[in-house]
Amino acid sequence: MVAPYTGRCNCGAVSITISAEPVATRQCWCRQCQRIAAGGPTNNAMFLAKAVTITGPRADHAYVAASGNVLTHEFCAACGTPVLGRSNARPQFRTIRLGLLDEGHGLSPAMAIWTDEAPDWAVIDPALERFTAQPPAPAPTPPSSTS
Ligand SMILES: [Zn+2]
Ligand SMILES: [Zn+2]
């Protein structure tokens, strides 16, 4: 599928529309992601923040990551569905949880990150590019962007 992407949380209070293609897609095995993803990784697509429109009340939790950056996870305030993550070091991006998007979006992780923190039972697709910790940041804008 191609943009726009749409999605909603489990209760429908939060909805999202994304008007551009992702700059990166990732599966993250860090411990914080395991806690919000019931033990597995989060699966995410990073978009430019200006392409993302979200309506509905969110709760959030901010913490200082190993990198020293402040990461914030947002959730539906009513049902707890994970919505996105964002970093104070890269405010131009929003890391959207793939589970939020409506089926048929066609996006999948291209890399697995923080694999050193994955549990012993984790099965990680060998086709994915793999980083034991934080990968390099994506380019500020997609290579194909005309804006
Ligand atoms: Zn909800
Ligand atoms: Zn993570």
Side-chain angles (χ1 to χ4, degrees), residues 23 48 50 93 138-145 147:
V23 296
L48 286 171
K50 66 185 179 185
F93 294 128
T141 56
S144 59
S145 173
S147 60

Side-chain angles (χ1 to χ4, degrees), residues 112-135:
I113 68 173
W114 289 100
T115 56
D116 272 0
E117 298 192 1
D120 291 342
W121 50 259
V123 177
I124 301 173
D125 185 343
L128 299 183
E129 188 177 9
R130 191 183 287 224
F131 292 86
T132 57
Q134 186 68 22

Side-chain angles (χ1 to χ4, degrees), residues 9-14 76 78-81:
C9 66
N10 274 331
C11 77
V14 172
C76 171
C79 73
T81 298

